[in-house]
Amino acid sequence: MRNFAFDTATSVQAAAAAASLACEAMLAPDGGAGAPETTIVKSGGIDLLDLMKEGLLAPAGVTSLSGVAGLSAIEPQSDGGLRIGALVTLARLASDETVRKLYPSLADAVGASASLEIRNAATLGGNILQRPRCWYFRAAEFRCLRKGGGHCYAIDGENQHHAIFDNRFCAIVHPSTSATALVALGAEVELVDADGATRRVALEEFFVGPDKDVQRENDLRPHEILTAVLLPNAASLRMAHLKLAQKQSFDWPLVDVAVALDLASDGTCRKATIVLGAVAPTPRRARAAEAALAGKPVDAQSAAAAGRAALEGATPLSKNAYKAPMLETLVRRAALQAASG
Ligand SMILES: Cc1cc2nc3c(=O)[nH]c(=O)nc-3n(C[C@H](O)[C@H](O)[C@H](O)COP(=O)(O)OP(=O)(O)OC[C@H]3O[C@@H](n4cnc5c(N)ncnc54)[C@H](O)[C@@H]3O)c2cc1C
């Protein structure tokens, strides 16, 4: 690993002033000095140190956010929503009583992510901003599109864990499991720059697909810090998050699904939000599946129709067609679980 300077910021503005984007600090194609001017912020460090040890990320500086006060709070809002600081760990989020009561799908999604050791260090902000797990992206030998090369090796290669939607240019899947649940809940992210200016963006809009920019996964700007996730009041919603993975523990999902339902008193679905994870470069709204539930009771028949509709637009690659039936089943099960919750 290349040597780097390390410091700890004590304010959001100071951290933002230092912060470059992770994609700006990727090691140069010649394997040389990397990007000498870049400084990367560190939260839990799980993904950051992985990338540095793998020889992919070579910042000149690393600035820890651990000295910044106020980023570790979980605060109920006057409108019934919740503000979750970016440094709240996944372990705390999974066990927090308020989160579990108001947003059980989020608590389940983060509680089933990674391992307890990782969840104890990994933060919500870092989880949302982690880089893709694609093995071509993670291997220094492959100069793929996302690293400034000219080719996506997965599209015609070993693509068993890759996208079955929106995979024309680059077939990564979005790595964040929390993001699947958060998008279904209508979450926003709060971003603060070096001057202290704040913007709030719907998380669904924050993620960037390869058709817009193949070298980054989100709209974080240079010199900006993600300070919090804001959840709207969800008291009237029923929700579920389900995940299927190869291993039962410390593994990313092969497919995950989050469902949020607004049901009338007679059980008719007024509105369904269904988000698919691990199947596209960004968390994917399954609008056809949502339409299959709207105006109907959520029962075995409508849930099965939603599962089938979730596959609309799928373009599986040579080795990942198995994800389609998994997705269909998971959407059906998640809809039924949410309705019965
Ligand atoms: C074996 C294993 C299994 C895993 N399974 C899962 C899984 O099932 N689901 C899942 O979602 N994840 C999984 N992960 C990934 C893990 O959860 C993430 O790496 C972790 O959440 C990243 O959070 P962090 O706080 O450590 O981020 P860091 O590594 O500190 O940061 C990640 C990136 O975000 C930037 N960053 C961090 N915080 C901020 C901020 N507040 N503002 C601006 N930029 C910031 C950093 O510069 C860096 O580029 C797994 C990891 C391992 C090793």
Side-chain angles (χ1 to χ4, degrees):
M1 195 194 296
R2 182 182 177 218
N3 285 339
F4 58 90
F6 181 81
D7 71 349
T8 301
T10 52
S11 72
V12 171
Q13 272 112 307
S20 315
L21 297 179
C23 63
E24 295 173 326
M26 297 301 282
L27 199 62
D30 60 4
E37 301 309 321
T38 55
T39 293
I40 295 293
V41 298
K42 170 186 168 295
S43 288
I46 301 286
D47 193 41
L48 181 65
L49 295 181
D50 248 13
L51 288 163
M52 290 172 71
K53 285 188 287 186
E54 285 160 7
L56 294 171
L57 199 60
V62 172
T63 294
S64 171
L65 294 178
S66 61
V68 180
L71 296 184
S72 300
I74 298 179
E75 298 166 296
Q77 303 293 286
S78 55
D79 64 357
L82 201 65
R83 186 179 196 280
I84 305 172
L87 287 187
V88 170
T89 63
L90 302 189
R92 187 166 154 225
L93 206 51
S95 61
D96 183 86
E97 271 180 36
T98 308
V99 176
R100 197 146 270 294
K101 182 164 162 246
L102 299 179
Y103 307 99
S105 58
L106 175 62
D108 287 348
V110 296
S113 293
S115 64
L116 183 56
E117 293 85 347
I118 292 168
R119 293 195 295 275
N120 274 333
T123 66
L124 183 60
N127 187 268
I128 291 169
L129 297 170
Q130 63 177 302
R131 303 233 54 203
R133 300 306 306 180
C134 169
W135 38 44
Y136 295 108
F137 173 75
R138 294 269 161 176
E141 297 78 13
F142 292 93
R143 188 90 195 136
C144 73
L145 270 181
R146 201 157 282 273
K147 291 185 287 192
H151 187 66
C152 172
Y153 294 88
I155 288 174
D156 298 315
E158 296 299 321
N159 50 41
Q160 32 291 62
H161 292 166
H162 289 75
I164 60 169
F165 295 96
D166 306 329
N167 49 14
R168 231 177 97 211
F169 304 116
C170 160
I172 63 151
V173 296
H174 199 273
S176 168
T177 312
S178 67
T180 313
L182 289 168
V183 170
L185 294 169
E188 293 181 328
V189 281
E190 180 186 89
L191 304 145
V192 177
D193 73 13
D195 298 323
T198 301
R199 63 182 180 118
R200 279 170 69 154
V201 184
L203 191 58
E204 189 176 349
E205 308 298 325
F206 181 63
F207 295 119
V208 171
D211 53 330
K212 290 208 182 111
D213 188 339
V214 79
Q215 289 190 27
R216 62 200 180 111
E217 295 79 49
N218 54 62
D219 182 35
L220 185 74
R221 298 174 186 163
H223 306 299
E224 207 171 44
I225 298 295
L226 194 162
T227 47
V229 171
L230 301 132
L231 284 163
N233 186 329
S236 64
L237 300 182
R238 300 193 189 191
M239 59 189 80
H241 175 272
L242 293 178
K243 154 181 175 178
L244 282 174
Q246 207 159 1
K247 288 181 289 183
Q248 289 307 304
S249 66
F250 62 91
D251 207 2
W252 278 268
L254 293 169
V255 171
D256 68 303
V257 171
V259 172
L261 301 175
D262 180 5
L263 300 183
S265 53
D266 66 357
T268 306
C269 179
R270 278 196 285 247
K271 184 178 177 216
T273 308
I274 301 180
V275 180
L276 316 179
V279 289
T282 58
R284 179 183 169 89
R285 280 285 290 276
R287 293 191 189 272
E290 294 172 3
L293 293 182
K296 302 192 183 74
V298 181
D299 56 18
Q301 197 182 350
S302 62
R308 286 191 298 275
L311 299 180
E312 201 174 289
T315 52
L317 300 167
S318 55
K319 298 185 177 176
N320 67 7
Y322 73 92
K323 284 195 176 190
M326 285 172 83
L327 187 62
E328 182 178 341
T329 302
L330 216 55
V331 167
R332 175 172 54 78
R333 286 186 192 162
L336 289 173
Q337 182 173 314
S340 68

